[in-house]
Amino acid sequence: MEEIGKVVNIIYYNDKNGYTIFLLRTNEKTVTCVGYVPYIKVRDSLTVQGEYVTHSVYGKQFKIATFEKNVPTSDEELLEYLSSGVIKGLGEKTAQRIIDKFGQDSIEIIKNEPEKLADIKGVSLKKAKELQTIVNSDWYFLKLAQFLNPYGIGATNIKKVFQALGENSLNLIYEDPYMLLDIVYGVEFSYIDKIASDLNFEKDNVKRIRSGVKYCLLNSLYKGNTCAKYLDLIEAVVNFLNVPVEAVENCIIQMINQKDIVIEYRDKEDIYKDRFVYLYNIYNMEQDIADIVRTKSNEFASGKDVKNRLEKIQKRLGIELTQIQKDAIIMAYSYNLSVITGGPGTGKTTIIQCLLKLFQQDNQEVALCAPTGRAAKRITEVTGAKAKTIHRLLELNRIEENMDRVTVEVNEIYKDVVIVDEASMLDTVLFCHILKAIQPHTKLILIGDADQLPSVGAGDILRNLIGYDKIKYIYLSEIFRQAKESLIVVNAHQINKGQMPNLFDRSKDFFFIPLTNQQDVANEIVELCEKRLKEYGNYDVLKDIQVISPTKKGIAGTKELNKLLQERLNKKTEYKPEKTYGQTTFRVGDKVMHIKNNYEIEWKKGDFEGKGIFNGDMGFITDYNELEGLLEVTFDDDRIAQYTSNNIEELEHAYAITVHKSQGSEFEVVVMPIVNGPPMLYTRNLLYTAITRAKKLLVIVGDEYQVKKMIDNVQSKKRHTGLEYKLNN
């Protein structure tokens, strides 16, 4: 069925995928239309094909299968289009002059012979060329959207395709639809494969196989691996694409020659035995890291009398260092690259404080940084020294989402010393950026806990460095006397050793509430957050208490817990403005987290302005301007950013967050559900990481048997990386 009419109202629009609900006025009636119709505007003339359906709540609707934007035909439609704002700076009077002169040919003249417009008052040749570019872009973009949208390519990605390929987008896609995988992010291969199939590409087409290889490598990369075993990759691609082994192997040879990928042969005697495949840029970054680390590991930086100076610093700070702490400080002071690791309560922060004092005495400039904003804020609070995120320190403007296109271009850091806290969170790309940015003489000191979860990004930097026999490395094993008073610290170390913690000593800061039913667990957590913890310690419900779950899914996962906690901790009232986006309602007062690096979003902090909000930044919704559609978030470091429908998808509620999202942060109180879950996820180091996020109080709600299973589960999937191999060979 077909309907032709004009858009008179857009009721709902999802900028991410183009799903739209709008009213279409035909000659006879007004129709409620629903479907994936990206980038339409009120007053657009459309032809829509589809069928009428009856929604259980909203009644009769026209469900769109395909649509087409109609070229304006009447003088009235032409005037409306040309003066609608699609052409910036073209007012109604100038638009009318164009129509008076060229009539129904106006659009074609603008598109193909813009120089003729220069005869019209108010239109210069430059303006005419601008009109041509804008009109052509408008129509070419819409054609691209009409082509890609039915295949599940959402509006955000369509915009990226048009920005990358321009007005020739469709022709280029017809020639090679698989190039879309190099441009768009997070789109299933099957969507692109369907486009290719409809364009009559054969299954064994080399472009298809090449993209399949890259797609499998990227999937491996997003799971934390920098490379894949050759035979595993071949098997994955063969099964994924349903093509012969020989076709994949031949394609890989071509990809090596074209510098798309690299094969690393780790067994010199049998090249077929131990082969690993990398995306080209990732291999080069890992090799660059190895080269720089090998050089810096051998550099002795200073031989000044540290011991005597350290004694004076101890007295001034009123502390007493253990011998292993002294050894760690002297090592870090004396060499250009060093690594210090240890669990909670082992004195890592004290070591940082002493190092800062030593370097200040030498008038050396120190950059103190951490991978996340919360980690940087925490180290500032405990040391008194200003710390930055690594992104801010490097002044990074962008890291590409498609990792095979990542390049390392950084602003140089002119500091004498760089100290990186929470170094377990360093991934390959970020660490390569740091090494490229610092000067040859700069001391680099990495401090972290190697027993925590590895980085979210690809690589296993801290563990790989520790595995290099020439690295200057000290592991802090001794728990300080004060820390031994904390059951959080003691139990964390017990868990790390594979021993069951003391769950039922209620005299300190570690509490366990035994429950096995998931709904009971969820209800208990809500009750704790809403009332009991506040009464127990006068904690600020939203600022001090953080729920951390191993998973997003299930009744005790973050998605469901966030709904329950929002309902109880930030109730809906007529005085609290709110914005609904898809299935999520954002309300003033909500605790939220930014979940994707965005280098363009603008922020203000007092008189300062800047760009960039990053994955893991947390804050609160402080305002919503319904008229302008602006949602305001004030982050923990007092930066204020505004969100629109274009980027609100990068926010999610943070009453409950996953353990992975909590890395690098500390919270006054942590509440953690532990229920039955997948062994791949419910591991010892995940439990250890979660527990060590708690500063003053930890409450676990769940099943004692599942706690034991997590402690016994050390089968954390080993990441495929090559840094340790490159360092030692």
Side-chain angles (χ1 to χ4, degrees), residues 460-492:
D460 204 357
I461 295 297
L462 198 58
R463 291 182 184 86
N464 288 165
L465 291 176
I466 292 168
Y468 177 39
D469 56 8
K470 293 184 180 178
I471 202 83
K472 304 303 179 291
Y473 165 61
I474 281 181
Y475 171 66
L476 306 171
S477 56
E478 185 177 344
I479 307 174
F480 271 73
R481 179 171 49 80
Q482 303 96 311
K484 286 180 181 177
E485 298 299 313
S486 167
L487 203 54
I488 295 172
V489 172
V490 172
N491 279 346

Side-chain angles (χ1 to χ4, degrees), residues 158-173:
I158 291 171
K159 189 184 292 184
K160 287 182 182 177
V161 174
F162 192 72
Q163 287 171 346
L165 303 180
E167 295 177 2
N168 202 29
S169 297
L170 277 177
N171 290 333
L172 292 171
I173 291 168

Side-chain angles (χ1 to χ4, degrees), residues 430-555:
L430 206 52
F431 191 48
C432 191
H433 276 76
I434 293 170
L435 292 176
K436 292 276 189 176
I438 62 177
Q439 305 305 303
H441 68 274
T442 301
K443 288 188 184 74
L444 178 61
I445 303 167
L446 306 178
I447 299 176
D449 186 346
D451 294 314
Q452 289 185 24
L453 289 170
S455 59
V456 175
D460 204 357
I461 295 297
L462 198 58
R463 291 182 184 86
N464 288 165
L465 291 176
I466 292 168
Y468 177 39
D469 56 8
K470 293 184 180 178
I471 202 83
K472 304 303 179 291
Y473 165 61
I474 281 181
Y475 171 66
L476 306 171
S477 56
E478 185 177 344
I479 307 174
F480 271 73
R481 179 171 49 80
Q482 303 96 311
K484 286 180 181 177
E485 298 299 313
S486 167
L487 203 54
I488 295 172
V489 172
V490 172
N491 279 346
H493 284 273
Q494 290 288 97
I495 288 167
N496 202 30
K497 294 174 184 175
Q499 300 169 3
M500 228 8 219
N502 185 345
L503 296 179
F504 299 102
D505 181 351
R506 294 178 176 270
S507 65
K508 296 186 179 178
D509 54 4
F510 188 112
F511 293 87
F512 178 74
I513 300 174
L515 289 170
T516 54
N517 180 276
Q518 290 200 28
Q519 189 61 64
D520 290 343
V521 170
N523 293 341
E524 182 76 11
I525 286 173
V526 173
E527 185 72 16
L528 282 164
C529 293
E530 185 181 20
K531 295 178 181 176
R532 285 161 51 196
L533 286 172
K534 186 176 181 180
E535 294 167 359
Y536 176 82
N538 196 28
Y539 294 110
D540 186 301
V541 174
L542 294 177
K543 291 183 179 179
D544 294 337
I545 302 170
Q546 184 60 57
V547 178
I548 298 177
S549 175
T551 180
K552 290 183 177 181
K553 299 177 181 178
I555 297 170

Side-chain angles (χ1 to χ4, degrees), residues 5-112:
K6 185 177 293 186
V7 178
V8 292
N9 187 21
I10 296 175
I11 299 169
Y12 172 77
Y13 178 65
N14 185 328
D15 187 71
K16 187 173 183 180
N17 59 22
Y19 184 79
T20 312
I21 303 172
F22 64 97
L23 300 181
L24 187 76
R25 180 64 184 169
T26 70
N27 290 333
E28 303 167 350
K29 57 187 180 292
T30 300
V31 181
T32 301
C33 297
V34 297
Y36 296 94
V37 188
Y39 298 110
I40 61 167
K41 304 180 295 297
V42 172
R43 297 192 292 187
D44 278 349
S45 177
L46 303 180
T47 298
V48 296
Q49 289 88 29
E51 60 179 346
Y52 278 98
V53 296
T54 302
H55 192 278
S56 58
V57 177
Y58 302 111
K60 190 176 182 181
Q61 299 176 333
F62 189 83
K63 187 177 180 181
I64 297 171
T66 62
F67 79 101
E68 186 172 348
K69 187 174 179 179
N70 302 321
V71 177
T73 52
S74 68
D75 286 358
E76 182 184 350
E77 288 175 342
L78 277 168
L79 180 62
E80 193 171 56
Y81 171 71
L82 291 176
S83 59
S84 65
V86 70
I87 302 172
K88 190 176 180 181
L90 183 66
E92 187 173 331
K93 289 183 179 179
T94 306
Q96 186 63 60
R97 293 189 194 109
I98 293 172
I99 294 165
D100 289 343
K101 185 171 179 65
F102 299 110
Q104 295 300 302
D105 296 328
S106 296
I107 297 295
E108 289 303 313
I109 293 292
I110 293 171
K111 289 169 67 176
N112 301 311

Side-chain angles (χ1 to χ4, degrees), residues 288-356:
D288 287 344
I289 290 171
D291 291 343
I292 297 171
V293 166
R294 271 201 304 268
T295 300
K296 289 190 81 68
S297 295
N298 294 320
E299 292 175 346
F300 185 79
S302 176
K304 291 186 180 180
D305 183 13
V306 187
K307 292 183 181 179
N308 291 335
R309 296 166 65 197
L310 209 48
E311 292 299 325
K312 294 177 182 177
I313 288 172
Q314 286 185 83
K315 290 177 182 177
R316 196 176 306 135
L317 294 177
I319 59 173
E320 186 176 344
L321 297 169
T322 63
Q323 186 56 50
I324 197 167
Q325 282 182 305
K326 292 176 184 177
D327 292 342
I329 292 166
I330 293 168
M331 174 195 73
Y333 183 84
S334 303
Y335 290 90
N336 270 358
L337 177 61
S338 57
V339 177
I340 301 169
T341 70
T346 56
K348 297 190 296 293
T349 303
T350 303
I351 287 172
I352 294 175
Q353 288 176 310
C354 291
L355 284 168
L356 288 170

